Amino acid sequence: MGVRTREEYIEGLRQHKPNVYMEGEKIENIVDHPAFQVGLNSAAVTFEQANHPDYRDLARVWSPLVNEEVSRWTYLMQDEQDALAKVKLNRGLNDFLCPCHYRCLTSDLLHASWAVSYEIDRNHNTSYHQNVIEIVKQAQKNDWIIGGGLVSPKGDRSKGPDEQTDPDMYLHVVKKNADGIVVRGAKAHGTAAPYTDMLCVVEFQLLPDYCVGFFTPVDAEGITLICRAPHAPTEPKDMDNPLSSRFGGHVEAMMVFDDVFVPWERVFMCGETESIVTFGSILSASHMWHKCLCRWINMDLSIGATALIADYNSVENAPHIFDALSEMAMDAEIVNACAVAAAVEGSKHESGVYYPKMSPVATGKVYAAKKLGEHRYHMQDVAGGLVGTMALEKDYRSPVVGKYLEKYYQGREGVPTEDRVRAFKLIEDLTASEFAGWYHVMCITGGSPSKTLKDMVAMEGDFEGRKERAKLAAKIEKQ
Amino acid sequence: MGVRTREEYIEGLRQHKPNVYMEGEKIENIVDHPAFQVGLNSAAVTFEQANHPDYRDLARVWSPLVNEEVSRWTYLMQDEQDALAKVKLNRGLNDFLCPCHYRCLTSDLLHASWAVSYEIDRNHNTSYHQNVIEIVKQAQKNDWIIGGGLVSPKGDRSKGPDEQTDPDMYLHVVKKNADGIVVRGAKAHGTAAPYTDMLCVVEFQLLPDYCVGFFTPVDAEGITLICRAPHAPTEPKDMDNPLSSRFGGHVEAMMVFDDVFVPWERVFMCGETESIVTFGSILSASHMWHKCLCRWINMDLSIGATALIADYNSVENAPHIFDALSEMAMDAEIVNACAVAAAVEGSKHESGVYYPKMSPVATGKVYAAKKLGEHRYHMQDVAGGLVGTMALEKDYRSPVVGKYLEKYYQGREGVPTEDRVRAFKLIEDLTASEFAGWYHVMCITGGSPSKTLKDMVAMEGDFEGRKERAKLAAKIEKQ
Amino acid sequence: MGVRTREEYIEGLRQHKPNVYMEGEKIENIVDHPAFQVGLNSAAVTFEQANHPDYRDLARVWSPLVNEEVSRWTYLMQDEQDALAKVKLNRGLNDFLCPCHYRCLTSDLLHASWAVSYEIDRNHNTSYHQNVIEIVKQAQKNDWIIGGGLVSPKGDRSKGPDEQTDPDMYLHVVKKNADGIVVRGAKAHGTAAPYTDMLCVVEFQLLPDYCVGFFTPVDAEGITLICRAPHAPTEPKDMDNPLSSRFGGHVEAMMVFDDVFVPWERVFMCGETESIVTFGSILSASHMWHKCLCRWINMDLSIGATALIADYNSVENAPHIFDALSEMAMDAEIVNACAVAAAVEGSKHESGVYYPKMSPVATGKVYAAKKLGEHRYHMQDVAGGLVGTMALEKDYRSPVVGKYLEKYYQGREGVPTEDRVRAFKLIEDLTASEFAGWYHVMCITGGSPSKTLKDMVAMEGDFEGRKERAKLAAKIEKQ
Amino acid sequence: MGVRTREEYIEGLRQHKPNVYMEGEKIENIVDHPAFQVGLNSAAVTFEQANHPDYRDLARVWSPLVNEEVSRWTYLMQDEQDALAKVKLNRGLNDFLCPCHYRCLTSDLLHASWAVSYEIDRNHNTSYHQNVIEIVKQAQKNDWIIGGGLVSPKGDRSKGPDEQTDPDMYLHVVKKNADGIVVRGAKAHGTAAPYTDMLCVVEFQLLPDYCVGFFTPVDAEGITLICRAPHAPTEPKDMDNPLSSRFGGHVEAMMVFDDVFVPWERVFMCGETESIVTFGSILSASHMWHKCLCRWINMDLSIGATALIADYNSVENAPHIFDALSEMAMDAEIVNACAVAAAVEGSKHESGVYYPKMSPVATGKVYAAKKLGEHRYHMQDVAGGLVGTMALEKDYRSPVVGKYLEKYYQGREGVPTEDRVRAFKLIEDLTASEFAGWYHVMCITGGSPSKTLKDMVAMEGDFEGRKERAKLAAKIEKQ
């Protein structure tokens, strides 16, 4: 079962009993709850790809660790060829239309925890790495989705974890004993958390109690998930929200950890503060890399939708519209190029895993975030105002007024009116729906704020080496 | 009653019986229908301003035409001082929070129809201008909101009105007799149409039958409005959608004209194709001018929301955040400057009305459209991911999980958690809600696509005069 | 003589004996020195405009102070009509081709010193204002150009004036007695200083000795000007540098003040540190306003040159070229709008002078600086590579190879090859010459670095008021 | 001699007697002429790299064709590993400070002519490919620099080659016989042509006579080069122009072909118009790839110079300056990423050569062109106005005024004034010198205008495939 089907994934979820609340109500069965369907569809996409004839070979790879074929999403990359294969695989998800499959974090977290535990063991004679090996084996054998608990609420951002009025603003260890540790705090932005197979929770502050990393089942005692339905219709809206009513984002969760016990065999970091750099940089590089590729998928679809509506409006060859399409295509090239370069210029960690280079993908992620508004501008500008004013499907189907819409929404000769209506609705879904709002947030602030990413690029920017070359050019002698 | 109250406006609407459909249902009473409340609130804002002590004087002006004090929105501007007063009045609507009051069109249409009818009469010995004078008088005396029917569906955009498979793709005159004319066709983007006091419908193509302008009550026989609820909650969402559940946009309507009769005394153009330039340019200049000012209001609020969340997050003085605020403030200066320059550099039409210059406001409108994405980027980047992941009010009020949110959503010391939650919700409302989607469409494509506006700037760009100066600089002799 | 001719200006300069060095040589007679001709031409432009029939009326204004007609450049503005007239006058300098006439500072400095001296007198019972009145009278009667000594070298920018290793890094008062003061230090960026009629030197730091303002003849004892020829040919280059060999920038000077004595009747500030805000803000607002207008002139010429070469290359109607022209025209609209808005929204100082609002012109100046690179991009992109590879005039005139150039540099039929060559040379002059380099510096850093200007916009940005409106929108109650 | 030294290259040039004119004079000996030294230095850089211990191994590669070690610049790439090695080699030229080594074209032209001749032979039973093989062998054995003659003057750009008044506006074949062909016309932009070892001249229009490709010695009878000295000082200007007086650009030439005879054994295309796509696309992809890498080098130096002056001004840690550095570093990442992605995603031609993918590098080249202005803005904004106003070396060395400059140009404590002066001069050289002007032209229009490159990206943009995915997302059924 190194590669699951969508059905096996869903069935697996039935075994968990997470403590989930939504709009003030307790949800006992998320798998069959209407508000979870869109999220489940989205999360299931990588399983579908792995079972699709076109992607089967690319999606699976032999893992010596478990001696069987596993999903590329649970596999640990060894070299740049692995990284380039991953680029292709991720890009191929454009055929599955899913704006956010969430599987990236599974990969990010396994690589980062593998490396950091190896380093800590070497420096501290601990035995965390074996814990991670066991988790990786299970993840590979069972084709897990691993959820991330990474961002604490932080309270007053001008203060450190130990300066807050309430010490729980950052998740921390409140007790340790021979069996394990007890943690308290919360993790915001728990996207998709309720329907993952395992959580990986990390706090990486420079204070020992606030430096901890562990795996935990999502239904461990003391964990409460306060959820919000996806920013997408929870009922079928085939015409009005053709994309988001199927794949429109995820359930979001605020995850509260109210004195949760974690046995030592699931811990991989606990107080070794010097290690957070390794963990953070591998996690970020890997996550930004996936962000670039997912943004490429979105750009790919945005370009397609723009070209389609231009065609249906009979203006595809207007020079300013062709120019808009070209600009969008160039942006897609840049974001892809950043991902490819990061794959080629990555590093091999001493623990054996290979990970992409940070600065190209930090750049690509910021670039994509900045371009999102521009792409939406192009899409709407090419389409026209009907993106916001078009009547809804119920009117279109109405025996009384439907005939007017059928008549007046027609576009280029030869294109059925309904197709043109659907193309407009797609653009509304991509640029002006509630889902579009959620996707915007995910692109702008998701993963990391731009400032942090820019700082990372600067850190790898070799300004001192560059100054030396400038001195050479200026004929400034060494002092 | 040259200036009405909100209540008088609403009461007035009860006298109309427009033929309105929404989601396939006929709506008999729009005034009390939940889906219309947000739109009605928005449309009522100019009445509230005119009765507010801070704005009363600025909002009212003596009209010699009716010999009484009237609203500045129905008044016809005579000179640049009138235009500068209008700039201040419009900008003052920021105190009323309304993203789109829709009153601009009343002013745009009255100025444009006044001028065009004057010109046609002079050229054709017609007597349209008196019709417009009568309409203006009524509009002033009764403080009307006039709705616009301006954009035909257009069908295949690569073809002219008479090349379409269906001749109704552009609204046109199908019959004329001594009493009046009969028109057929449709008008898309009928924002707020159901709750206006009078419609002004215009087709301005270069073919006589497709060149017509008239006023008509919205409940004239043969008019059907196929409506869509505002892209905003129709139930109170005080916390979750603090702005849009009050002022979040308008009902949109596709207006169908199924052989509608218009008596001659409401017609001001009918076949005089050479006049469409005058009508179009005054209408556009005026409308783009108002667009600039309304975008300034939105920028003003966006800057405030960004500064507020920065404050509540305790990062207001972080240099990159201060920089974002400065950039936004500079954009607001530019958009305002374009409106002011257009007011000062406007023209007096021979018919007596004064109107703003096109090129500054066409520029300002395109600039604002292009910057919208950037402002949303800044707002979310400064706020952080909770914009998209924060739980809803029902959870916040829940006796079970509310305490967790109260604890974990706290920010800067001294700021009540609820205030911070509300600030996040405002930013979500402004950048990531369905309303935000609608507002995006209105900014990008509303009024005119950017290409058209750029062409207008180029038209006023005096490229020939500029070439002459270049020749002088290049020492090229006149041939 | 309230308005001089070019000749009178030049003749006046012969009366001064400034201590001028250039490339290590002492220059005794600058008026006839080849390296000064381009600068003199540029500085003389406002005199030519004032004597030109098209501008005569606009350029002159009655001054009650001296009871005669004076130049608008020495006149003190009283209200927004004066400011709007100045906008027109400055914009009209596009007919005189001069990229930098330098006369702006005369106006900036007179307004600022007038206001600050008035304020200091009122607060300190000093009698500076009378000194300024006398200077203004002389400036008006004699139609002076006043040079500015504003920017000290600053040494280590992380330290204040009194923390520097060398106390002279900022100009300061080293002695005071009954007759006057003695100052020491230097002023960088003394553009055009050698050929001005009077200098106005100011240091505005928060330490009494480093807070001083005075007028001084440029040939006062102790002043040394270390000059640099304009970044332009000092020989006639009619074809190769058609613009810059006539009006290409100014002589730049480092001005050294080696214990220079200034009598009290030329001092207007000396130690009253609280006044630097008034001086600085009027000076900056006025200077940025002029910067906007001069950048508009440059944009005007750049647009003309681009349209001209497009015409000569026979590609003027290619959509992407028309688009470039439209974009440039929109930028020119924005910069002009900022200047107009600042004129209309300015303030009247209690001393009687009117000055423009800071934030629109600070915005406009930064906008123009950021767009300069884009305009050069458009100009070259439209023209093509010959901008950088075209042979020189000597080859074009050569009896041996000239025929080849005449043949192969031809463009659109009907355009003489030489005209096309000249158009290319103009674009080279504007974008790729040494003069273009100097102009770039003047646009980017001249006046003020962008950061300072952005801070000024933020200062006027009313963030607190804007937050209040955001609270209203978010339904946050006042605490 | 598969790899030459700088001296061997220069010595080789003495064997040629090209017909060179400059400023109307015939130049007999270019090798020792002052106006050619900067260009020769620049062209010699790849030889220096190949003999430098740090780059020796990377710069040389075994060529089976000649059975010896040859320069990577004459070597034909076989796969993506070759391409990645070339990326590193080119990027390493940053250590040699040269803004344009010109060697790229050697590689571009050899790959493109190799492929196109192979294709033509297969389709037409010609024997061009053997001619190219011989040229490649000689180029490899003798480590040639090959110059390009690619761009005809074009005359009236709205007309084709055969519609021009003068048929020579595009280079063409005027005679063919058993021995060879005779060509007439001209090639603009002959950068560095006088000091190359061989020219490769191509016309690729769709008319048989205007479709020709051949190699020719630069001193063949009938070729006249009308040259222009580099836009850089031809005298040593160590301090004032520290970079450009050493490596500042190239001699530019208009190359006239006045009935030049080319023997068949140097021809590789003659009338086979369908082949120009292959030639053009390999040439362009390869050339844009090198352009990206050279722009990366320039960005690298610009970042260094900016960081250096920030350091010397004592403002390196000011947030807005750090931000500028980060932005520049991100741009460098993007341009590099485009080159790396093109190397990895390239294609193997049936003739055996491997070449990079077009769309990433076309994108990267346009991106770099658009960013050039912004980088210059940052450099000057960080440095300050002294970039344009600083006195010259002669003043600095002057016994009279030098002491003032030494005193007043000091910056951060511990930095010798002269070093700071040199850093400013470097920034002037990079942003505001005549050389900076030339470099600007080369970046903006060099290689290809942006419009052409955008069209190429659109051509590879798979808009049809993207529309299909949009249909899937919109639930539009296949018709």
Side-chain angles (χ1 to χ4, degrees), chain B residues 94 238 246 300 304 311 316 323 327 333 336 345 359 419 454 466-467 469 472-473 475 479, chain C residues 94 238 246 300 304 311 316 323 327 333 336 345 359 419 422 454 466-467 469 472-473 475 479:
Chain B
N94 64 350
D238 238 40
R246 290 181 287 164
D300 181 71
D311 178 3
E316 201 172 2
D323 188 64
E327 289 284 345
E333 287 299 325
N336 177 59
E345 299 180 344
S359 51
D419 287 4
K454 286 169 77 168
R466 283 170 158 163
K467 276 176 177 174
R469 282 189 288 281
L472 213 61
K475 297 203 129 186
Q479 302 305 320
Chain C
N94 65 349
D238 238 40
R246 291 182 286 165
D300 181 69
D311 179 2
E316 200 172 2
D323 187 66
E327 289 283 345
E333 287 299 326
N336 177 59
E345 299 179 344
S359 51
D419 287 4
R422 285 185 180 280
K454 287 169 77 168
R466 284 169 158 165
K467 276 177 179 173
R469 282 189 288 281
L472 213 59
K475 298 203 129 184
Q479 303 306 319

Side-chain angles (χ1 to χ4, degrees), chain D residues 113-133 176 211 213 264-265 267-275:
Chain D
S113 59
W114 180 278
V116 78
S117 58
Y118 183 94
E119 260 184 47
I120 299 177
D121 282 5
R122 197 200 47 199
N123 294 338
H124 295 269
N125 275 322
T126 45
S127 56
Y128 295 137
H129 194 54
Q130 191 54 45
N131 298 345
V132 177
I133 291 175
K176 284 190 217 180
C211 169
W264 281 116
E265 59 266 29
V267 176
F268 61 84
M269 175 165 73
C270 190
E272 302 82 3
T273 53
E274 86 287 353
S275 304

